[in-house]
Amino acid sequence: MASTNRLTKVPGSNSQQKGSSLKDDHVIDETKEYYRQRASQYSDWSRRTGKHEGGSEPDESFFGEAKMLLDALDSEKLTGDVLEIASGTGIWTEALTRHATSITALDSSQEMIDRCKTRLKGNPKVQYVHADFYAWTPDRHYDAVTFSFWISHVPSWKLDEFTAKISHCLRRRGRVFFVDQQRSAMKYEVMDQPGGEIASRTLEDGKTFNVVKHFYVPEEITRSLRKNGIETRVSNTPNHFYYARGEKAP
Ligand SMILES: C[S@@+](CC[C@H](N)C(=O)[O-])C[C@H]1O[C@@H](n2cnc3c(N)ncnc32)[C@H](O)[C@@H]1O
């Protein structure tokens, strides 16, 4: 293990954040339930199949830019013990195995974890944690924390709690890497109100869910991370995505 530091106190918790309400917390639960029920259809989005076939943009540019994200992750060489938040079906977990010594893949959906396990074929580097990240208590520090297509599901009222917890999970000089969609993708969402952060999503069986979807301006995220001792640089791919690389202060 690259880091043996144990944690003593965890900031944030599953207790309600200042400014949030039970209604707000309900949308976080509904977001988890949406992904739990979507697990079997999830690869449709990344493969541009099913209802996403053809997609909102030519597939060639989508796949080309998705490859840029994987290349950016690879060139980051996240070595040591890596925490992956919201690991989903393991697209990124698999890529992480190239450089990491160990990967803790955390997701709130057992159905997602099962798919990740299938993809990773028993790779001994990966440990799975079935938990809600907000409620989870880490018991150690990591060399790197990463999350893909996840931060847009962190509502603004929890952003500082989230970045504080990332910082707490990291050792000094520990690294952060994350990717998500650019704000231009907002036009494909049915938002509850202009500039809102709750989207209506419908699964193939017709069930509709209210899901947190906040299209952050990158500066909102970098400012919040900086408050917690993490400096980050954000880069855009031409049309669809951005990726961010950061490091916690020594
Ligand atoms: C958009 S998917 C991203 C999955 C994966 N990172 C990828 O890029 O393919 C969001 C993931 O977050 C998980 N999730 C949702 N709410 C969560 C929470 N509160 N704590 C942990 N995982 C959560 C979902 O189960 C889902 O796997």
Side-chain angles (χ1 to χ4, degrees):
M1 298 254 169
S3 166
T4 53
N5 291 348
R6 308 300 291 181
L7 294 179
T8 48
K9 183 173 171 288
V10 181
S13 69
N14 54 349
S15 64
Q16 269 183 254
Q17 276 285 98
K18 208 170 138 197
S20 79
S21 66
L22 287 174
K23 185 170 152 274
D24 295 332
D25 288 343
H26 182 74
V27 78
I28 288 174
D29 289 340
E30 206 167 322
T31 304
K32 288 190 287 185
E33 182 57 17
Y34 165 74
Y35 277 109
R36 193 186 71 72
Q37 294 194 30
R38 190 181 155 191
S40 63
Q41 300 159 33
Y42 186 70
S43 56
D44 283 350
W45 183 80
S46 54
R47 289 191 196 135
R48 306 311 262 175
T49 56
K51 75 171 187 171
H52 300 283
E53 190 156 1
S56 45
E57 294 283 339
D59 280 7
E60 203 180 312
S61 89
F62 180 90
F63 284 118
E65 292 186 31
K67 168 88 169 58
M68 283 179 203
L69 300 178
L70 283 164
D71 289 347
L73 173 62
D74 193 53
S75 61
E76 268 308 282
K77 295 188 172 50
L78 297 183
T79 52
D81 298 326
V82 178
L83 169 65
E84 185 189 10
I85 301 163
S87 43
T89 59
I91 298 167
W92 302 84
T93 322
E94 190 172 32
L96 287 166
T97 58
R98 193 162 135 84
H99 301 290
T101 307
S102 81
I103 300 148
T104 301
L106 178 147
D107 202 284
S108 60
S109 158
Q110 186 60 49
E111 291 77 359
M112 288 285 189
I113 289 174
D114 290 345
R115 282 168 174 78
C116 188
K117 283 184 177 168
T118 303
R119 186 192 297 270
L120 270 293
K121 298 186 186 80
N123 188 316
K125 287 186 176 183
V126 187
Q127 292 98 50
Y128 298 90
V129 176
H130 177 207
D132 178 329
F133 181 68
Y134 302 116
W136 178 64
T137 304
D139 65 354
R140 46 160 308 163
H141 290 115
Y142 292 89
D143 298 300
V145 175
T146 183
F147 36 97
S148 298
F149 298 103
W150 156 253
I151 199 158
S152 56
H153 295 305
V154 175
S156 55
W157 72 88
K158 271 196 173 304
L159 183 64
D160 287 344
E161 172 190 336
F162 176 66
T163 56
K165 196 158 177 180
I166 293 169
S167 181
H168 195 68
C169 287
L170 280 173
R171 67 162 172 80
R172 288 178 187 176
R173 287 196 184 281
R175 288 186 292 153
V176 174
F177 181 91
F178 58 94
V179 310
D180 215 317
Q181 292 169 286
Q182 292 178 19
R183 282 174 68 82
S184 54
M186 200 189 315
K187 58 180 173 285
Y188 305 114
E189 299 279 358
V190 180
M191 304 303 296
D192 64 332
Q193 54 180 290
E197 55 183 334
I198 298 177
S200 176
R201 297 262 185 102
T202 304
L203 293 176
E204 278 171 4
D205 62 7
K207 279 191 212 142
T208 297
F209 296 80
N210 287 322
V211 171
V212 176
K213 189 70 186 175
H214 189 120
F215 288 90
Y216 288 102
V217 175
E219 290 68 36
E220 291 176 84
I221 305 171
T222 54
R223 202 181 311 125
S224 180
L225 285 164
R226 186 171 301 124
K227 279 198 262 179
N228 290 293
I230 301 169
E231 283 299 326
T232 324
R233 279 171 302 139
V234 178
S235 308
N236 282 328
T237 63
N239 297 300
H240 300 292
F241 311 117
Y242 67 84
Y243 57 95
R245 294 158 287 178
E247 187 175 297
K248 184 171 165 174

